Amino acid sequence: MKKLIVTVFWLSSVLMFGQEKVWTADECMRYAVEHSTKRAKQEAQNEIYKQNRIEAVGGLLPSINANTDVTTSFGHVLDKDTYKYDNINTMYNDYGINSSMLLFDGLAQLSRVKMEKLNLLKGLQQLQDTKDMVAYETLELFFNVQYYQGTVKLAGQQLDESISNLKQIKRMEELGMKSIPDVAELQTKEAEDRFLLTKQNNLLIQENILLKEKMNFPINEDFKITDSDTVLLRDTTTENIFELYQKALSYSPKVLASNKSFESTKMAIHVAKGRFFPTLYLNGGINTYFSRLLDGSAYTPFNEQLNANGNYYIGLSLNVPIFNGFSRAAQLKRSKQQLIIIQNEREETLREVYSDIEKTVADVNGLSDEYHYGQKRTESMKTAHQVNQRKYTEGLISALELNTSSNRLLQAQIEELYTNLKYQLKLKLLNYYRGNAMYN
């Protein structure tokens, strides 16, 4: 009994781990985002934004420094105790702590803090936009693979039909019911279908490579995705495009990143303006020292000297900019021109988002209708092709007419498949502009 349980467990393990994983669209998108080099680069850029903000905040805080030095003097030197020059050898050991704090700089540092915060917020939106775009591009390639999986399946079905028809026509030719040219026509059709199947297989391999590349999937591992789902409910949207656009402005990462970039550039102008103002600092510190003669004579102990020689200071320092080679004026002008560039880029982004929403709504509505009528056309052609096959067997139509009927049916099935997958892609994008996540 124990051996039987072990054997069953071993077989279950082999079957479970031997099955190849079949990837869904959400799994592919999630994997692509997690392993995307674009995402990794944007996260690194966001870390730079974060450190820039920490540095800017630190500029508002006092700076504290400690210093010490040891000096040995020989010959005719100044005695710090008597302030007389003597021919003696001495050693001095100074200690000090000083601090400086910015009181006023035309609000340049405060503006820089705000600018770096806006840059950090911009980076977070850029990261989300990068994730969404990687997911959407992955989904598009996913549907491409599903499309070629479908065309391979349809081409295989047509090839099977051609092989069956060829066998039947050869038998009828042996019985004298069909001629040699009829056999030759169907042999040509069978060869064409083999070529089509081979071509679609090659295209499927190419699209699989592109999808694995987009996902940054391991090169040496097998990869398989789910087949396409052709069950589709008709969904024609009648929502107002401008209202949808207005809603998208509040949550689209691309738009929000553009807004933060515009606000950050305006803050850069305030930083540049602040450099024209005087800077005022509050300074303070503590200094002390230890000294002794190097002739072996007695000297006051180290701790006593540090306490006795200590001194404190506090003061203000004012720096008034007068001329520095036009650098401040040039920086201000550059900031203003950069604002014009960012403003135009922002307008381009808003227009691009509106046009994309407008085209997506049109695509969803158009593809929904196309798929609806495409289904009817495919069903009609299937019925017509079945009738044509019977007519050919009865000698009522030629092999060329049968081939034309078969090719028309295949074309209709391929177009229906394409419309279905394209509709699903555009519907996903429309739902994204409605505020839904690109992937789960």
Side-chain angles (χ1 to χ4, degrees), residues 403-421:
N403 292 344
T404 301
S405 173
S406 176
N407 291 335
R408 288 179 60 194
L409 175 59
L410 176 63
Q411 186 63 31
Q413 291 172 324
I414 290 177
E415 289 179 359
E416 180 186 341
L417 172 65
Y418 173 82
T419 304
N420 175 272
L421 294 174

Side-chain angles (χ1 to χ4, degrees), residues 190-319:
E190 188 253 357
E192 290 176 351
D193 291 341
R194 287 189 184 277
F195 172 79
L196 177 62
L197 179 59
T198 302
K199 181 179 179 180
Q200 297 305 311
N201 268 315
N202 290 336
L203 291 173
L204 174 60
I205 292 172
Q206 294 296 324
E207 289 300 326
N208 258 313
I209 292 172
L210 293 176
L211 179 56
K212 290 176 68 175
E213 180 184 357
K214 174 59 67 174
M215 293 173 58
N216 206 12
F217 195 81
I219 300 173
N220 58 341
E221 293 186 16
D222 294 331
F223 181 73
K224 183 179 180 181
I225 69 170
T226 57
D227 293 329
S228 60
D229 179 13
T230 56
V231 178
L232 179 64
L233 296 177
R234 189 179 181 190
D235 184 10
T236 302
T237 178
T238 57
E239 57 193 311
N240 186 279
I241 295 175
F242 186 74
E243 291 179 359
L244 181 59
Y245 166 72
Q246 291 294 325
K247 293 178 183 178
L249 294 182
S250 62
Y251 47 71
S252 170
K254 182 183 293 186
V255 173
L256 295 178
S258 179
N259 292 340
K260 296 304 179 184
S261 179
F262 180 72
E263 295 172 12
S264 171
T265 307
K266 287 200 296 185
M267 280 294 114
I269 294 179
H270 291 295
V271 174
K273 287 180 178 179
R275 295 183 61 196
F276 286 90
F277 288 84
T279 55
L280 180 64
Y281 284 89
L282 174 65
N283 305 305
I286 304 174
N287 293 309
T288 188
Y289 68 92
F290 164 79
S291 68
R292 59 163 294 186
L293 299 176
L294 298 178
D295 57 1
S297 59
Y299 60 89
T300 306
F302 181 80
N303 290 338
E304 292 182 13
Q305 285 199 41
L306 291 184
N307 292 329
N309 297 332
N311 64 85
Y312 310 88
Y313 72 91
I314 187 171
L316 296 171
S317 62
L318 180 66
N319 181 25

Side-chain angles (χ1 to χ4, degrees), residues 22-26 28 138-154 200 203-204 207-208 211 223-230 414 417-418 420-422 424-425:
V22 180
W23 292 72
T24 64
D26 278 340
C28 288
T138 303
L139 181 63
E140 188 171 16
L141 289 172
F142 181 89
F143 283 145
N144 286 348
V145 173
Q146 284 193 330
Y147 170 73
Y148 284 110
Q149 283 179 339
T151 58
V152 166
K153 182 179 179 180
L154 293 173
Q200 297 305 311
L203 291 173
L204 174 60
E207 289 300 326
N208 258 313
L211 179 56
F223 181 73
K224 183 179 180 181
I225 69 170
T226 57
D227 293 329
S228 60
D229 179 13
T230 56
I414 290 177
L417 172 65
Y418 173 82
N420 175 272
L421 294 174
K422 191 72 172 179
Q424 293 184 52
L425 178 66

